[in-house]
Amino acid sequence: IPDSDSTTTVVVKIERPTYNKPFLGGFKNMRTGVEFHNAGSQTRCKKRPYKGTQSFCRETQTAWEKNKPQQTRNTTSTQMTKIGLYVSNMTDKLISPGKYFTAEEYHKRRLEAVIVLQKYFRRWHAINVVQNLREQRKLRLAWEAQEELRKKKEKEEKLRREYERKLNPRTKEDFELLYHDLELWMQEETERINRTLTGAERKAALCALLDQEAQLIACFERHKLNANEENQHKAILHLLDKCAQPKRWKAYDGKITEMDTQDTLRARELLEIYRSISVKDIPKDERTDVLLTLRCTVKEHECKLTQEIVELIDREVDLLSRDVKECNLEGLRKRICTLFLRYIKIPKVNPRVAWLLKVPQDPLKLYKNVYFCHSCENYLPSTEFLIPANSHTIGRCRLCYELDNEARRRESYLKYRLILENLKKSETDYQDDSKIVFLIQLPDLQYMIENIWNCQSALSAWVELYDLVMVRWDKQREWSPWNAILLTKEEADAHLKLCNLQEAYEAAFIFRIKQKHIRAKNYFAQIPAMSSFLNRSDNQANAS
């Protein structure tokens, strides 16, 4: 109260702002440097609801525009012919009104013109389509002719290779083919004799046939002895050549680095000496030099074997000095080669050979994985036994199986062996840790092809086993006897490109394939090693 001397205390509540007030301007005292800001009200501003996005405001200025057309004046004049003035009419045009047509007639004319354009466009498009189809047909026929020619050449090449293999057999598969053809010939001749002859004539013909069979078998065995000798010589040279190979490793830049050590140089020296003493029909002086070099080499290690080699070398040198014929020295030279090969296989003489010998140098290792063959009564390593997946005992070794096959059944397993090799190679290319395919042996695959797939393609019923391959039924799962299908090579390539088997094949065909898979499961379920794979494949099928 201004007129009263009394004072009154008024309590003023000041609300401290919870936010920063905006700057509203102000001024600054230039003398004292104090800044004064314009004050604002203490009323809390109403907050706008947050919309989830950041927005900015700015002032805009809109200019109002208005367009108005305006016709300007254009003064023109015309001049006509009159008295005293002539205007030429040579460039004048005579315009006469045409036929009037309605809007309906106008649209009808446009429609007819559109139809004409469509007709010519469709004709042009049809010509292009037919031309493309003709080109595709031409390319298809050319491809089919090329494929037919390729198949014909492959078949001729295959027959030529088979004929060459039968004419000059070198491997076990070649002799299998020979004995198989001999069995087929014997069956045909026996059937012909039984059909055409009777009584004593039949017996005489059968005896003559038996003599021919014996002569052919003797001829086969002579070829087998020559082939074994040649293959043994090649195997020896291959072993010594591997010993003489330098050490190789790949650098970070991809270059191959080779290094010769004392062991590789020693192996190479022994290889050259062995090749020299194995050469036939060389002059007497060169032969003597080779024998003297061999004598100096083996004398570096004194033992009973080297003493025997030195005695044989001295004997041959003495016989050469007496001008003995070379045909009488073949046995002596073979003994020298054989003893020198034994000398090369001693690890102390040739350290590199210790890594390549099949028989371990430690006698204790011989007791591991060694089994007894009840047929030939020999103790052999496990790799020499052909053990089917459903076998519970070891049985006979590979050599006994081959001998029994040559004497009785005379079957050729080359086709099944090729199918198994192609299967293992294709499964290796998947790189998905497939294991079952490497447990399958040749008798197991033969049983599957003959009894489950009937030796024919599941799609085209093609019966030539050389053209058939075994592939996965479902390529997303690893191969197994219950996830397999037998097809030709072209059908297998097309099958592996499919993404959905249910859409690609009919339900009846899928049902037949499933039935074959069930038969394979029932056959391999009795094998303990396959039970874990059966459960795993069932889990994969349920998951897919």
mmCIF file of all heavy atoms in Angstrom, residues 145-167:
data_model
loop_
_atom_site.group_PDB
_atom_site.id
_atom_site.type_symbol
_atom_site.label_atom_id
_atom_site.label_comp_id
_atom_site.label_asym_id
_atom_site.label_seq_id
_atom_site.Cartn_x
_atom_site.Cartn_y
_atom_site.Cartn_z
ATOM 1 N N ALA A 145 21.941 -85.073 -84.586
ATOM 2 C CA ALA A 145 22.828 -85.800 -85.495
ATOM 3 C C ALA A 145 24.245 -85.859 -84.942
ATOM 4 O O ALA A 145 24.923 -86.904 -85.029
ATOM 5 C CB ALA A 145 22.811 -85.124 -86.865
ATOM 6 N N GLN A 146 24.684 -84.747 -84.334
ATOM 7 C CA GLN A 146 26.025 -84.726 -83.744
ATOM 8 C C GLN A 146 26.123 -85.684 -82.557
ATOM 9 O O GLN A 146 27.120 -86.390 -82.391
ATOM 10 C CB GLN A 146 26.370 -83.296 -83.319
ATOM 11 C CG GLN A 146 27.806 -83.124 -82.835
ATOM 12 C CD GLN A 146 28.105 -81.673 -82.478
ATOM 13 O OE1 GLN A 146 27.230 -80.818 -82.594
ATOM 14 N NE2 GLN A 146 29.333 -81.412 -82.076
ATOM 15 N N GLU A 147 25.059 -85.678 -81.728
ATOM 16 C CA GLU A 147 25.050 -86.599 -80.587
ATOM 17 C C GLU A 147 25.013 -88.047 -81.050
ATOM 18 O O GLU A 147 25.683 -88.919 -80.479
ATOM 19 C CB GLU A 147 23.844 -86.299 -79.697
ATOM 20 C CG GLU A 147 23.980 -85.034 -78.880
ATOM 21 C CD GLU A 147 25.089 -85.137 -77.859
ATOM 22 O OE1 GLU A 147 25.144 -86.170 -77.153
ATOM 23 O OE2 GLU A 147 25.889 -84.205 -77.765
ATOM 24 N N GLU A 148 24.216 -88.308 -82.081
ATOM 25 C CA GLU A 148 24.156 -89.669 -82.613
ATOM 26 C C GLU A 148 25.509 -90.099 -83.168
ATOM 27 O O GLU A 148 25.958 -91.239 -82.949
ATOM 28 C CB GLU A 148 23.087 -89.733 -83.717
ATOM 29 C CG GLU A 148 22.764 -91.135 -84.181
ATOM 30 C CD GLU A 148 22.026 -91.947 -83.134
ATOM 31 O OE1 GLU A 148 21.380 -91.332 -82.260
ATOM 32 O OE2 GLU A 148 22.100 -93.190 -83.204
ATOM 33 N N LEU A 149 26.173 -89.177 -83.862
ATOM 34 C CA LEU A 149 27.510 -89.483 -84.384
ATOM 35 C C LEU A 149 28.509 -89.688 -83.249
ATOM 36 O O LEU A 149 29.363 -90.591 -83.316
ATOM 37 C CB LEU A 149 27.958 -88.355 -85.314
ATOM 38 C CG LEU A 149 29.309 -88.533 -86.014
ATOM 39 C CD1 LEU A 149 29.270 -89.753 -86.928
ATOM 40 C CD2 LEU A 149 29.667 -87.280 -86.812
ATOM 41 N N ARG A 150 28.387 -88.846 -82.205
ATOM 42 C CA ARG A 150 29.294 -88.998 -81.058
ATOM 43 C C ARG A 150 29.085 -90.339 -80.365
ATOM 44 O O ARG A 150 30.060 -91.032 -80.013
ATOM 45 C CB ARG A 150 29.067 -87.846 -80.079
ATOM 46 C CG ARG A 150 29.982 -87.872 -78.860
ATOM 47 C CD ARG A 150 29.627 -86.765 -77.891
ATOM 48 N NE ARG A 150 28.287 -86.919 -77.366
ATOM 49 C CZ ARG A 150 27.971 -87.729 -76.360
ATOM 50 N NH1 ARG A 150 28.908 -88.460 -75.764
ATOM 51 N NH2 ARG A 150 26.727 -87.810 -75.926
ATOM 52 N N LYS A 151 27.807 -90.720 -80.169
ATOM 53 C CA LYS A 151 27.533 -92.011 -79.525
ATOM 54 C C LYS A 151 28.043 -93.165 -80.377
ATOM 55 O O LYS A 151 28.580 -94.154 -79.851
ATOM 56 C CB LYS A 151 26.035 -92.151 -79.286
ATOM 57 C CG LYS A 151 25.487 -91.217 -78.215
ATOM 58 C CD LYS A 151 24.000 -91.419 -78.044
ATOM 59 C CE LYS A 151 23.437 -90.460 -76.995
ATOM 60 N NZ LYS A 151 21.969 -90.635 -76.833
ATOM 61 N N LYS A 152 27.866 -93.026 -81.694
ATOM 62 C CA LYS A 152 28.340 -94.079 -82.582
ATOM 63 C C LYS A 152 29.853 -94.205 -82.517
ATOM 64 O O LYS A 152 30.405 -95.320 -82.449
ATOM 65 C CB LYS A 152 27.893 -93.780 -84.016
ATOM 66 C CG LYS A 152 28.233 -94.859 -85.012
ATOM 67 C CD LYS A 152 27.722 -94.500 -86.393
ATOM 68 C CE LYS A 152 28.083 -95.576 -87.408
ATOM 69 N NZ LYS A 152 27.590 -95.234 -88.782
ATOM 70 N N LYS A 153 30.547 -93.043 -82.507
ATOM 71 C CA LYS A 153 32.004 -93.077 -82.407
ATOM 72 C C LYS A 153 32.456 -93.640 -81.062
ATOM 73 O O LYS A 153 33.427 -94.407 -80.993
ATOM 74 C CB LYS A 153 32.580 -91.671 -82.602
ATOM 75 C CG LYS A 153 32.495 -91.164 -84.037
ATOM 76 C CD LYS A 153 33.161 -89.798 -84.166
ATOM 77 C CE LYS A 153 33.124 -89.308 -85.606
ATOM 78 N NZ LYS A 153 33.758 -87.972 -85.752
ATOM 79 N N GLU A 154 31.767 -93.250 -79.986
ATOM 80 C CA GLU A 154 32.115 -93.777 -78.669
ATOM 81 C C GLU A 154 31.916 -95.292 -78.612
ATOM 82 O O GLU A 154 32.741 -96.018 -78.037
ATOM 83 C CB GLU A 154 31.268 -93.096 -77.596
ATOM 84 C CG GLU A 154 31.677 -91.661 -77.302
ATOM 85 C CD GLU A 154 30.844 -91.055 -76.191
ATOM 86 O OE1 GLU A 154 29.912 -91.755 -75.712
ATOM 87 O OE2 GLU A 154 31.108 -89.907 -75.806
ATOM 88 N N LYS A 155 30.814 -95.750 -79.232
ATOM 89 C CA LYS A 155 30.577 -97.194 -79.238
ATOM 90 C C LYS A 155 31.633 -97.919 -80.055
ATOM 91 O O LYS A 155 32.149 -98.975 -79.633
ATOM 92 C CB LYS A 155 29.189 -97.471 -79.813
ATOM 93 C CG LYS A 155 28.748 -98.909 -79.674
ATOM 94 C CD LYS A 155 27.313 -99.089 -80.116
ATOM 95 C CE LYS A 155 26.865 -100.539 -79.930
ATOM 96 N NZ LYS A 155 25.454 -100.736 -80.344
ATOM 97 N N GLU A 156 31.976 -97.368 -81.227
ATOM 98 C CA GLU A 156 33.028 -97.977 -82.027
ATOM 99 C C GLU A 156 34.370 -97.953 -81.305
ATOM 100 O O GLU A 156 35.122 -98.932 -81.353
ATOM 101 C CB GLU A 156 33.140 -97.248 -83.373
ATOM 102 C CG GLU A 156 31.944 -97.443 -84.290
ATOM 103 C CD GLU A 156 32.060 -96.625 -85.560
ATOM 104 O OE1 GLU A 156 33.037 -95.832 -85.658
ATOM 105 O OE2 GLU A 156 31.187 -96.759 -86.446
ATOM 106 N N GLU A 157 34.656 -96.824 -80.620
ATOM 107 C CA GLU A 157 35.906 -96.737 -79.864
ATOM 108 C C GLU A 157 35.922 -97.731 -78.714
ATOM 109 O O GLU A 157 36.959 -98.355 -78.421
ATOM 110 C CB GLU A 157 36.083 -95.312 -79.339
ATOM 111 C CG GLU A 157 37.385 -95.072 -78.596
ATOM 112 C CD GLU A 157 38.605 -95.170 -79.488
ATOM 113 O OE1 GLU A 157 38.453 -95.062 -80.715
ATOM 114 O OE2 GLU A 157 39.701 -95.372 -78.948
ATOM 115 N N LYS A 158 34.764 -97.892 -78.065
ATOM 116 C CA LYS A 158 34.684 -98.856 -76.963
ATOM 117 C C LYS A 158 34.883 -100.281 -77.470
ATOM 118 O O LYS A 158 35.625 -101.075 -76.867
ATOM 119 C CB LYS A 158 33.325 -98.730 -76.282
ATOM 120 C CG LYS A 158 33.155 -99.656 -75.087
ATOM 121 C CD LYS A 158 31.737 -99.606 -74.571
ATOM 122 C CE LYS A 158 30.788 -100.232 -75.575
ATOM 123 N NZ LYS A 158 29.398 -100.289 -75.075
ATOM 124 N N LEU A 159 34.242 -100.617 -78.616
ATOM 125 C CA LEU A 159 34.428 -101.951 -79.190
ATOM 126 C C LEU A 159 35.873 -102.155 -79.642
ATOM 127 O O LEU A 159 36.433 -103.260 -79.477
ATOM 128 C CB LEU A 159 33.475 -102.134 -80.375
ATOM 129 C CG LEU A 159 31.977 -102.164 -80.034
ATOM 130 C CD1 LEU A 159 31.149 -102.251 -81.300
ATOM 131 C CD2 LEU A 159 31.652 -103.329 -79.104
ATOM 132 N N ARG A 160 36.480 -101.095 -80.195
ATOM 133 C CA ARG A 160 37.877 -101.214 -80.617
ATOM 134 C C ARG A 160 38.799 -101.436 -79.429
ATOM 135 O O ARG A 160 39.731 -102.254 -79.477
ATOM 136 C CB ARG A 160 38.294 -99.949 -81.378
ATOM 137 C CG ARG A 160 39.654 -100.049 -82.059
ATOM 138 C CD ARG A 160 40.120 -98.696 -82.541
ATOM 139 N NE ARG A 160 40.310 -97.776 -81.439
ATOM 140 C CZ ARG A 160 41.379 -97.781 -80.638
ATOM 141 N NH1 ARG A 160 42.350 -98.672 -80.817
ATOM 142 N NH2 ARG A 160 41.482 -96.910 -79.665
ATOM 143 N N ARG A 161 38.523 -100.694 -78.315
ATOM 144 C CA ARG A 161 39.346 -100.884 -77.114
ATOM 145 C C ARG A 161 39.167 -102.284 -76.544
ATOM 146 O O ARG A 161 40.142 -102.915 -76.104
ATOM 147 C CB ARG A 161 38.990 -99.827 -76.063
ATOM 148 C CG ARG A 161 39.495 -98.440 -76.366
ATOM 149 C CD ARG A 161 39.495 -97.572 -75.114
ATOM 150 N NE ARG A 161 38.195 -97.545 -74.490
ATOM 151 C CZ ARG A 161 37.273 -96.627 -74.719
ATOM 152 N NH1 ARG A 161 37.528 -95.654 -75.581
ATOM 153 N NH2 ARG A 161 36.103 -96.652 -74.088
ATOM 154 N N GLU A 162 37.916 -102.768 -76.531
ATOM 155 C CA GLU A 162 37.679 -104.117 -76.030
ATOM 156 C C GLU A 162 38.389 -105.154 -76.902
ATOM 157 O O GLU A 162 38.987 -106.106 -76.381
ATOM 158 C CB GLU A 162 36.172 -104.401 -75.993
ATOM 159 C CG GLU A 162 35.435 -103.718 -74.850
ATOM 160 C CD GLU A 162 34.007 -104.199 -74.737
ATOM 161 O OE1 GLU A 162 33.627 -105.101 -75.508
ATOM 162 O OE2 GLU A 162 33.275 -103.676 -73.887
ATOM 163 N N TYR A 163 38.303 -104.958 -78.224
ATOM 164 C CA TYR A 163 38.991 -105.891 -79.117
ATOM 165 C C TYR A 163 40.506 -105.843 -78.903
ATOM 166 O O TYR A 163 41.187 -106.880 -78.892
ATOM 167 C CB TYR A 163 38.642 -105.548 -80.567
ATOM 168 C CG TYR A 163 39.312 -106.435 -81.587
ATOM 169 C CD1 TYR A 163 38.848 -107.725 -81.824
ATOM 170 C CD2 TYR A 163 40.411 -105.978 -82.309
ATOM 171 C CE1 TYR A 163 39.469 -108.549 -82.762
ATOM 172 C CE2 TYR A 163 41.033 -106.784 -83.249
ATOM 173 C CZ TYR A 163 40.559 -108.073 -83.470
ATOM 174 O OH TYR A 163 41.178 -108.871 -84.387
ATOM 175 N N GLU A 164 41.024 -104.636 -78.710
ATOM 176 C CA GLU A 164 42.456 -104.494 -78.468
ATOM 177 C C GLU A 164 42.850 -105.127 -77.131
ATOM 178 O O GLU A 164 43.912 -105.770 -77.024
ATOM 179 C CB GLU A 164 42.830 -103.011 -78.488
ATOM 180 C CG GLU A 164 44.311 -102.727 -78.331
ATOM 181 C CD GLU A 164 45.125 -103.203 -79.521
ATOM 182 O OE1 GLU A 164 44.561 -103.315 -80.620
ATOM 183 O OE2 GLU A 164 46.327 -103.457 -79.334
ATOM 184 N N ARG A 165 42.008 -104.962 -76.136
ATOM 185 C CA ARG A 165 42.296 -105.548 -74.824
ATOM 186 C C ARG A 165 42.244 -107.069 -74.879
ATOM 187 O O ARG A 165 43.017 -107.748 -74.201
ATOM 188 C CB ARG A 165 41.310 -105.023 -73.788
ATOM 189 C CG ARG A 165 41.431 -103.545 -73.530
ATOM 190 C CD ARG A 165 40.379 -103.051 -72.572
ATOM 191 N NE ARG A 165 40.606 -103.549 -71.218
ATOM 192 C CZ ARG A 165 39.907 -103.160 -70.162
ATOM 193 N NH1 ARG A 165 38.943 -102.278 -70.316
ATOM 194 N NH2 ARG A 165 40.156 -103.638 -68.981
ATOM 195 N N LYS A 166 41.297 -107.595 -75.667
ATOM 196 C CA LYS A 166 41.224 -109.054 -75.794
ATOM 197 C C LYS A 166 42.356 -109.605 -76.646
ATOM 198 O O LYS A 166 42.816 -110.731 -76.419
ATOM 199 C CB LYS A 166 39.878 -109.448 -76.398
ATOM 200 C CG LYS A 166 38.681 -109.138 -75.515
ATOM 201 C CD LYS A 166 37.381 -109.417 -76.239
ATOM 202 C CE LYS A 166 36.185 -108.983 -75.390
ATOM 203 N NZ LYS A 166 34.908 -109.177 -76.108
ATOM 204 N N LEU A 167 42.792 -108.823 -77.626
ATOM 205 C CA LEU A 167 43.869 -109.284 -78.497
ATOM 206 C C LEU A 167 45.219 -109.222 -77.789
ATOM 207 O O LEU A 167 46.054 -110.134 -77.944
ATOM 208 C CB LEU A 167 43.903 -108.424 -79.764
ATOM 209 C CG LEU A 167 44.794 -108.912 -80.906
ATOM 210 C CD1 LEU A 167 44.315 -110.279 -81.401
ATOM 211 C CD2 LEU A 167 44.803 -107.901 -82.042
#
